[in-house]
Amino acid sequence: MSEIKAAITAVHGYVPDHVLSNADLEKMVDTNDEWIKSRTGVSERRILKEGASSDLGVEAVKGLCEKRGIDPSEIDMLICATATPDMLFPATANIIMDKIGAVNAFGYDVMAACSGFLYATVTASKYIESGSHKKIVVVGADKMSSIVDYTDRTTCILFGDGAGAILLEPTEDGDGVIDSVLRSDGSGRDHLYQKAGGSLYPATHETIDNKEHFIYQSGQAVFKFAVTKMADVAEEVMKRNNLTGDDIAWLVPHQANRRILEAAANRIDLDIDKVMININKFGNTTNGTIPLCLWEWESKLKKGDNLIMATFGGGFTWGSIYLKWAYDN
Ligand code: UT7
């Protein structure tokens, strides 16, 4: 009997309408379009004016169910990867399930900064492989604008709001999630974090005055690790599956900085036109980046295509997935 694998059987994304362009940011902080584009690759990002991460997630999951032709009550599990939960608890996954009527599902949040979507996809695929669950939604949803300091030019240029979702179902025809490499190193916590609001530094007047509820990033340190580590894991998962750049249809990287994506593609010998890149339009949407890429590229994907997903984020956390795409659009 062939092995059960977790196949992506549908994908959908959602970004809010409001566009925050580089020209807009020029009016808010000391920056310029040329610097932002050349250092990051971002031209504009989307901002959710009203609502929370769950609202972004709801739109992505609703679209996913419509596309696949299923009722939300058929979902048996939903994992939400987010760095910007609606509240510390209950889980944003629970809120999304309630809003869409996923009455037969259980779920929880995965918090692994920008690697959350990838970690959650691997977790969900294990439930599918075990045979315990048949329809699992993984949604990456982040309202990054809720934790970005729009007076800090080093971070506000990077991030945007958005969500993407995938449906995982069992398959025995050889497609689906084939292999993964996941890593983390907590000593990287000093370089990228949101300091206050947790049990270490609960909210006080002082934490607010000191802007400690916003993202802090030591850009150069994170950049250095991201370039090396993201490429390391992509290379590792390819090597142990005897894959070369020629075998790969698409690299689906976390959209942190265009220069990081280019370096990763270069390391695994892949033409840049085989790399999904939408950082120019959406910026870094944290857990939304990878599923938003899949959503945008869905019409180009063919059954059996080899995809490598790769990510790096706060924690530090990083990882890579090798999967075979399971359907023609
Ligand atoms: O997704 C999670 C993981 N995150 C990442 O992977 C992000 C990794 N880091 C980065 O993408 C980059 O480090 C940044 C985009 C954050 C910064 O780019 P950089 O090339 O590393 O710039 P830098 O920090 O070395 O700064 C170079 C110069 C500095 O000026 P001086 O000291 O050379 O005079 C900065 O003050 O650019 C200045 N600068 C800016 N100038 C115009 C910093 N931000 C800006 C800005 N506009 N927005």
Side-chain angles (χ1 to χ4, degrees):
M1 206 179 84
S2 40
E3 255 183 289
I4 299 175
K5 298 275 184 211
I8 296 177
T9 55
V11 58
H12 199 67
Y14 175 76
V15 288
D17 292 336
H18 183 78
V19 174
L20 181 68
S21 67
N22 290 350
D24 296 327
L25 285 168
E26 283 177 7
K27 294 178 203 138
M28 296 158 70
V29 289
D30 179 15
T31 190
N32 59 79
D33 180 53
E34 202 281 323
W35 191 98
I36 302 173
K37 279 206 281 228
S38 62
R39 295 290 179 122
T40 72
V42 185
S43 295
E44 57 186 45
R45 59 298 285 138
R46 300 300 181 92
I47 303 295
L48 182 68
K49 287 289 196 182
E50 305 223 333
S53 295
S54 68
D55 298 306
L56 296 165
V58 161
E59 292 305 320
V61 181
K62 269 191 192 162
L64 185 77
C65 292
E66 273 163 31
K67 254 175 158 170
R68 183 69 179 140
I70 61 165
D71 187 84
S73 62
E74 293 175 55
I75 299 168
D76 47 24
M77 180 176 183
L78 185 147
I79 307 180
C80 179
T82 184
T84 51
D86 289 18
M87 294 177 266
L88 278 183
F89 73 90
T92 302
N94 291 54
I95 299 169
I96 293 173
M97 290 187 290
D98 179 52
K99 287 181 177 174
I100 61 170
V103 290
N104 294 309
F106 91 105
Y108 50 82
D109 290 357
V110 164
M111 290 191 85
C114 298
S115 304
F117 180 81
L118 206 132
Y119 279 24
T121 300
V122 173
T123 307
S125 71
K126 302 296 176 194
Y127 279 89
I128 297 275
E129 286 165 20
S130 77
S132 65
H133 291 73
K134 307 277 187 246
K135 282 190 170 46
I136 307 184
V137 169
V138 180
V139 52
D142 273 302
K143 184 181 179 180
M144 293 307 291
S145 60
S146 65
I147 58 166
V148 165
D149 175 2
Y150 286 96
T151 64
D152 174 7
R153 70 175 182 170
T154 69
T155 52
C156 72
I157 49 145
L158 287 169
F159 295 97
D161 300 339
I166 56 171
L167 181 68
L168 289 167
E169 295 184 78
T171 179
E172 292 186 54
D173 67 2
D175 297 328
V177 175
I178 310 288
D179 198 6
S180 58
V181 177
L182 302 180
R183 301 267 186 264
S184 44
D185 176 359
S187 67
R189 67 187 179 280
D190 295 335
H191 299 299
L192 180 49
Y193 56 78
Q194 181 190 338
K195 187 171 178 180
S199 57
L200 183 59
Y201 300 107
T204 61
H205 287 293
E206 201 183 357
T207 61
I208 291 170
D209 290 345
N210 292 340
K211 300 184 169 188
E212 289 168 0
H213 295 266
F214 292 126
I215 294 178
Y216 166 81
Q217 175 171 250
S218 160
Q220 279 183 4
V222 178
F223 187 92
K224 208 172 72 192
F225 277 98
V227 162
T228 316
K229 300 295 187 188
M230 205 159 106
D232 281 353
V233 281
E235 197 173 44
E236 188 179 339
V237 84
M238 283 172 64
K239 268 197 182 140
R240 70 187 195 196
N241 289 280
N242 299 315
L243 300 166
T244 67
D246 290 342
D247 302 311
I248 303 304
W250 296 99
L251 174 67
V252 197
H254 169 54
Q255 312 283 303
N257 183 318
R258 189 179 165 107
R259 288 184 288 150
I260 296 173
L261 316 186
E262 288 169 349
N266 200 25
R267 261 280 290 288
I268 61 170
D269 247 339
L270 205 66
D271 281 352
I272 198 71
D273 55 10
K274 285 172 141 189
V275 184
M276 297 187 190
I277 302 178
N278 60 15
I279 190 170
N280 50 316
K281 293 190 295 189
F282 302 143
N284 179 352
T285 53
T286 302
N287 287 289
T289 59
I290 289 178
L292 280 171
C293 280
L294 293 175
W295 171 55
E296 265 204 277
W297 265 261
E298 185 186 21
S299 62
K300 296 197 175 84
L301 297 173
K302 292 190 278 304
K303 182 170 165 60
D305 274 355
N306 289 323
L307 267 58
I308 299 290
M309 297 176 176
T311 192
F312 184 86
F316 293 134
T317 55
W318 66 105
S320 184
I321 289 178
Y322 162 42
L323 68 83
K324 277 189 180 290
W325 193 250
Y327 60 94
D328 294 316
N329 196 33

